[in-house]
Amino acid sequence: MTRAILSRVIGPFSVPCFLLGLVFFAASLTPSLIPRGPEMQGVLGGLVTALGYLVARVVALLWRAADLPELSGRPARIATWVVSAGILVLFAWVLGSSLTWQNDLRQKMGMAPADALNLARIVLIAGLVFAAAFLVGRLVAALFRLIRQWFYRVMPPRRANVLGVVTVVLLLGVVTRDGILDHVVLALDESYEAAQALFDQAPPAPTDPAMVGSPASLIDWAAIGTPGRDFIQSGPDAEAISAFTGREAMDPIRVYVGRANGDTPRRRAELALAELQRLNAFERELLIITSPTGTGWMDPGSHDPVEYMHNGDIATVAAQYSYLQSPLALILETNTGLEQATALQEVIHGYWQTLPADDRPRLYVHGLSLGAWSSMHATNLFRLLDDPIDGAFWAGPPFPSAFWTYVQNQRNPGSPWVLPEVGDGSLVRYASHTTDGAQARADWGRMRIMFLQYSSDPVVFYEPASLWRAPQWMRDPPAADMSEHFVFMPIVTQFQLALDMALSFGSPPGHGHAYYGPDYVGPWVQVTNPANWTEADTQRLIAHCDNGVQAGCSNDRR
């Protein structure tokens, strides 16, 4: 009895369908943008094997539904053996080559080579993942048969089949979206909010009235949150800047409004403006409106260098919109960041416009990763037509960014997708870990727009259309830190790039989505054009930031 029930749940296993799964597994062993260890490769291999099996099952069902001819008997067995032998040979060759491919990519990124293939670990993990996915699929199929059987009692079989599929899809959607997902999101939001050390858990507030969160400040220190407090209290002061430049410097102004500091994006933006006015930030040489990442984190590697090169005569303002990590915020709180960035830019730029053009700071917008996306969205060119900002610097723009996509598609013919040239370079330029964007056919114009993007960053170069076609960058000659062994495979490449995004945050600095302090220096020089600044100063600051946290140009992601 038990065996019969188990057999009904697990159902028949199809060898031909599994063979397509093995082809998918073999394709997943080819390199993508980020090196993969045996554990991640095993998970990826198991998932795509299950997906290949599912695709084959669906094709077989459609084939039978269309009443098309099928092989049977001895010809079917011979064909299965021949195809199986060919696929197993292909799989063995690809598996044996994968270590070479992965180590080639690791070497390009300055990583130590893997010393073993870890074949047993990859296959074991892939087998377990495939088994789990197969079992879930069979349980869903059993649920469909149960629901269909109920419908058979009251309607014709064809109608029962269609309604059975619709019912299962809706049921799974409701359970996933309104049950499991809602509870997961709530738990994540509460855990990340707790990690911000709000209110009773907040550390002592600063006493200096020139700092945000002090008793003289308009912004409640306890509600700012950990990322904002770190940003306010870190970075170079006047003494550190003077020690580097040899000139008298000022303490940079850093204004940060936490999500809990205001009920609405507009309220937080207005609070930021009031604090900027209190600190006389509009009397500084530069004012930068920055959008933080999902948790509210502000990259010291981005903000410290520009404060050095402008001798501290600078103010930076940001407002938090989420407590979630950027990938989760991108999926679950998409509009929140866009609304906050838009409100902040509207309020700050609106006030800035009322000041005399010769007696106000140069105004720039900036953002990293999800912050770059929201900042781009907020930078409404129609609002800027009569009184434009001085420039924008966006690092690691995520692939859904509409403005980035538009600019990418304006690239000059023949220029690579990962580092394009746009026009004569007087308005838009690109930088990477190999170039600072200084080279262009023309000098800068009135407004300067700079993108910093690494060629190996899947957060930037993931492409949803890779489900059925090769991404544009895969058709170009590979960049310095890209593999020469790309193989496009429908569906599989999509899963490879999705896994790349998850792994990209832990890449070596200067690759993947790990943006590196020294790589910000040259682009900031290009965008903000600091006075009396030389190439020697740029190289000194790069070396200074390359020393890490002690130098004030941290790459710590907190």
Side-chain angles (χ1 to χ4, degrees), residues 156-207:
R158 182 172 297 181
R159 192 180 305 168
N161 290 338
V162 173
L163 288 180
V165 171
V166 172
T167 302
V168 169
V169 170
L170 290 176
L171 183 61
L172 292 177
V174 169
V175 170
T176 303
R177 176 65 183 89
D178 298 331
I180 299 173
L181 187 59
D182 276 358
H183 284 88
V184 169
V185 172
L186 180 61
L188 286 172
D189 202 27
E190 289 176 348
S191 64
Y192 284 122
E193 183 175 352
Q196 299 266 328
L198 297 171
F199 305 108
D200 293 341
Q201 292 78 36
T207 57

Side-chain angles (χ1 to χ4, degrees), residues 137-152:
R138 296 309 305 171
L139 290 173
V140 171
L143 177 63
F144 164 71
R145 289 194 297 271
L146 178 63
I147 293 175
R148 181 184 61 178
Q149 194 64 38
W150 290 342
F151 286 146
Y152 275 167

